[in-house]
Amino acid sequence: MIIVLDRRSTELRASVDGGELEPVGDLAAFVARFERDRPRWVWDDTSWWYPQLLAARVRVDRCFDLRLCHSILRLSELTAGSQLATAPIGPWDRPALEPRPRDDALFELDDADAEPLPDPVAEFQAQRAAVAASSEPGRIDRLLAVESAGALIAAEMQYAGLPWRAREHDEILTRILGPRPRAGERPARLAAVLERVRAAIDVPDLNPDSPVELLKHLRNAGLAVASTSQWELADIEHPVIEPLLEYKKLARLLSANGWTWLETWVADGRFRPDYVPGGVVTGRWATSGGGALQLPKQIRGAVVADPGWSLVVADAAQLEPRILAALAGDRAMMTAGAAGDLYAGIVASGTVETRDQAKVGMLGAMYGGTTGESGRILPRLARAYPRAIGLVEEAARAGERGEKVTTRLGRSSPPPSEAWREAQADASGESATEAATKRARSQARSWGRFTRNFVVQGSAAEWALCWMASIRARLRELADGAWFTDSAHLVFFLHDEIVVHCPAGQAESVAAAVRESAEEAGRLLFGSWPERFPVTVAIVDNYGQAK
């Protein structure tokens, strides 16, 4: 059963299995009544519809998020010839269709001049036509399904929240930074480290939080630096470096996850960030608030399970290089990872001498680090694993030519900008200057680094979506009809890592479900291909214990 929901008027309407749009009355009651038949709900934006259903304690099993699916179909090489992909830019191409509903004006737009909402029935028909005409409809349809499942998971995780102890967070900050200072002052330890920085370069009034001022005084002190990034500073020997790097680390903690963050984002014992599924062009998630995807290890001890509950923390081991091996069908690289630690397996094969070399070289291959240590190791990896290294090299060359690359399930990279193409055209003309040629070559290499990584990172994001969707389904079975937050449920996701909050008695069953879901995710992407995607699972009381 397919039910399309429409919110273009003050009265919500629905089309059931292609029928006429009819008023739904009370939305939660309407959805709850039909959900017993496990329909596929079709709506414009999960982040608008689903939170209000969850607030009414109504959960849905499946949906199609038209906004997310449109973005995929618009760019995918698998649907490039469809009417949807070739149509002029329209309202479905906006990052978001409309603000989320407000309690005081549920169906009104905040902006009276906003563009009218588009027709979800017509859009769904256009998307189905694009999939049907695709060169590989099953492949792209699977991507649309798991992308939409991810949107449901994001809304459910925000609703449930990540268990968070404000008292423990405050104790962590106090231990690392010193007691909370008065407004306008720095914590004691941060202030002490700052005095060491100032003394090392003899600038008593230095403001290290101003990159321009800091860079000027570092140069005055004789340091040949082009920026104040920690990566550049770490390679310099000078008395100011150690305290300066320490200051930057502490200041980052204070600004990103200090007391102000705690008061803003943690309420009623829960952290509820705004997840943005598909917020990165590769398909990775982003956040529009709370910084959940950059949660530092220093404060994870504040993530504490409720009394009588546990946290099941799992992460996929070396996910991206394993995805690369499977994408390329590189059996030698799969064999290296078969024992568990892929990098150790590369060392055991005799390709490199140390695990660090294996890791640096592989990351260089996937992210375009072709100079320095990774550049020296890359030829050895290419000889040992020609199919894997050849795949990312070809993806890089495609990007340098301005072509698209595509992930395992069908997400394609965006084209380079018109400015990029103009620069390439200028460099190929008869009157091209040396400067124009150099600039175009640099831009081409940069875009090649993007496409090199896109195909791997995007496919890894698809694996993670399949993993979470499978976990969600298995946890639903464990709930046995209970409301999902009363049983085991997902509460956190970070690229290749998940956290499930569950009653302690369910923890072992959850751990098994997480492992089984990882195996299923591999099958969904690669069928019976022999590459394994092992996950490390820990059952803990607080998130900090898992690492």
Side-chain angles (χ1 to χ4, degrees), residues 44 69 76-77 97 144 149 177 267 300 309 311 395 440 484 512 520 523 529-530 535:
D44 56 3
C69 294
S76 178
E77 291 182 302
L97 294 174
L144 302 183
L177 299 171
R300 292 183 180 183
W309 287 56
L311 298 175
F484 80 103
E520 183 175 6
R523 291 193 297 271
W529 200 250
V535 293

Side-chain angles (χ1 to χ4, degrees), residues 334-540:
M334 294 180 196
T335 299
D341 186 335
L342 172 62
Y343 300 133
I346 292 175
V347 174
S349 72
T351 303
V352 296
E353 288 75 36
T354 69
R355 188 181 185 280
D356 283 346
Q357 287 179 335
K359 183 175 183 179
V360 168
M362 193 56 65
L363 291 177
M366 294 185 297
Y367 285 84
T370 55
T371 61
E373 181 70 2
S374 63
R376 288 190 291 273
I377 296 170
L378 193 55
R380 298 163 70 177
L381 293 177
R383 288 192 294 271
Y385 312 113
R387 294 177 67 92
I389 304 304
L391 186 146
V392 288
E393 289 294 332
E394 177 50 37
R397 302 293 85 77
E400 291 173 5
R401 296 189 296 268
E403 300 169 1
K404 290 184 177 183
V405 295
T406 299
T407 62
R408 179 67 177 181
L409 292 184
R411 190 189 304 269
S412 295
S413 59
S417 66
E418 284 302 315
W420 185 94
R421 294 192 181 280
E422 289 173 4
Q424 303 306 307
D426 290 344
S428 62
E430 293 182 2
S431 60
T433 64
E434 182 178 348
T437 301
K438 183 177 181 180
R439 181 171 60 253
R441 188 180 300 119
S442 174
Q443 291 180 357
R445 285 197 298 265
S446 178
W447 197 254
R449 285 193 294 272
F450 164 69
T451 53
R452 171 193 294 269
N453 181 245
F454 182 96
V455 68
V456 178
Q457 188 180 109
S459 298
E462 291 166 358
W463 182 93
L465 283 172
C466 291
W467 185 35
M468 284 201 297
S470 181
I471 291 172
R472 179 178 184 258
R474 283 175 165 81
L475 296 185
R476 189 164 187 148
E477 292 178 5
L478 278 179
D480 194 24
W483 180 239
F484 80 103
T485 57
D486 295 333
S487 183
H489 56 283
L490 283 157
V491 290
F492 187 64
F493 168 57
L494 179 62
H495 303 319
D496 57 3
E497 184 173 343
I498 59 94
V499 179
V500 175
H501 192 214
C502 66
Q506 288 185 331
E508 292 295 343
S509 296
V510 170
V514 166
R515 294 188 180 96
E516 291 166 3
S517 295
E519 294 178 4
E520 183 175 6
R523 291 193 297 271
L524 287 171
L525 257 70
F526 301 105
S528 59
W529 200 250
E531 176 62 287
R532 294 179 58 252
F533 298 93
V535 293
T536 301
V537 183
I539 300 172
V540 296

Side-chain angles (χ1 to χ4, degrees), residues 2 4 27 44 60 70 100 107 124 131 165 176 204 215 234 247 278 301 364-365 422 494 497 514 533:
I2 299 292
V4 182
L27 176 65
D44 56 3
V60 305
H70 181 94
R100 296 179 187 181
F107 308 117
F124 181 60
V131 170
R165 298 279 183 88
I176 296 174
L215 185 62
Y247 179 89
E422 289 173 4
L494 179 62
E497 184 173 343
V514 166
F533 298 93

Side-chain angles (χ1 to χ4, degrees), residues 147-476:
E147 185 86 343
S148 299
L152 294 176
I153 292 167
E156 289 174 357
M157 290 199 301
Q158 185 184 52
Y159 172 87
L162 182 63
W164 203 282
R165 298 279 183 88
R167 182 172 181 176
E168 276 78 358
H169 190 138
D170 176 72
E171 290 176 353
I172 291 169
L173 295 176
T174 300
R175 183 172 65 251
I176 296 174
L177 299 171
R180 183 174 187 174
R182 290 176 294 193
E185 296 182 355
R186 292 183 175 89
R189 186 176 176 195
L190 192 63
V193 174
L194 174 56
E195 290 309 310
R196 292 174 56 203
V197 173
R198 289 169 169 170
I201 55 176
D202 195 23
V203 183
D205 59 349
L206 172 70
N207 176 14
D209 301 321
S210 167
V212 173
E213 180 180 340
L214 178 59
L215 185 62
K216 180 184 73 173
H217 288 298
L218 289 177
R219 288 173 174 171
N220 289 342
L223 280 70
V225 290
S227 73
T228 61
S229 73
Q230 67 178 37
W231 310 112
E232 182 172 358
L233 295 175
D235 293 331
I236 297 173
E237 291 188 10
H238 188 281
V240 74
I241 298 302
E242 185 272 327
L244 179 56
L245 292 177
E246 178 69 6
Y247 179 89
K248 290 170 76 70
K249 178 181 177 182
L250 297 177
R252 170 64 182 169
L253 174 62
L254 178 63
S255 63
N257 299 100
W259 289 278
T260 299
W261 179 92
L262 178 60
E263 292 174 347
T264 303
W265 287 101
V266 176
D268 302 322
R270 293 293 188 269
F271 168 43
R272 293 184 171 87
D274 287 324
Y275 293 102
V276 183
V280 179
V281 293
T282 59
R284 274 191 168 189
W285 286 17
T287 56
S288 62
L293 302 183
Q294 296 179 335
L295 205 61
K297 294 180 180 179
Q298 298 153 295
I299 62 167
R300 292 183 180 183
V303 180
V304 182
D306 291 342
W309 287 56
S310 297
L311 298 175
V312 178
V313 181
D315 67 275
Q318 301 145 349
L319 178 59
E320 289 193 355
R322 292 178 185 277
I323 288 288
L324 172 57
L327 284 171
D330 195 314
R331 292 184 178 273
M333 192 166 161
M334 294 180 196
T335 299
D341 186 335
L342 172 62
Y343 300 133
I346 292 175
V347 174
S349 72
T351 303
V352 296
E353 288 75 36
T354 69
R355 188 181 185 280
D356 283 346
Q357 287 179 335
K359 183 175 183 179
V360 168
M362 193 56 65
L363 291 177
M366 294 185 297
Y367 285 84
T370 55
T371 61
E373 181 70 2
S374 63
R376 288 190 291 273
I377 296 170
L378 193 55
R380 298 163 70 177
L381 293 177
R383 288 192 294 271
Y385 312 113
R387 294 177 67 92
I389 304 304
L391 186 146
V392 288
E393 289 294 332
E394 177 50 37
R397 302 293 85 77
E400 291 173 5
R401 296 189 296 268
E403 300 169 1
K404 290 184 177 183
V405 295
T406 299
T407 62
R408 179 67 177 181
L409 292 184
R411 190 189 304 269
S412 295
S413 59
S417 66
E418 284 302 315
W420 185 94
R421 294 192 181 280
E422 289 173 4
Q424 303 306 307
D426 290 344
S428 62
E430 293 182 2
S431 60
T433 64
E434 182 178 348
T437 301
K438 183 177 181 180
R439 181 171 60 253
R441 188 180 300 119
S442 174
Q443 291 180 357
R445 285 197 298 265
S446 178
W447 197 254
R449 285 193 294 272
F450 164 69
T451 53
R452 171 193 294 269
N453 181 245
F454 182 96
V455 68
V456 178
Q457 188 180 109
S459 298
E462 291 166 358
W463 182 93
L465 283 172
C466 291
W467 185 35
M468 284 201 297
S470 181
I471 291 172
R472 179 178 184 258
R474 283 175 165 81
L475 296 185
R476 189 164 187 148

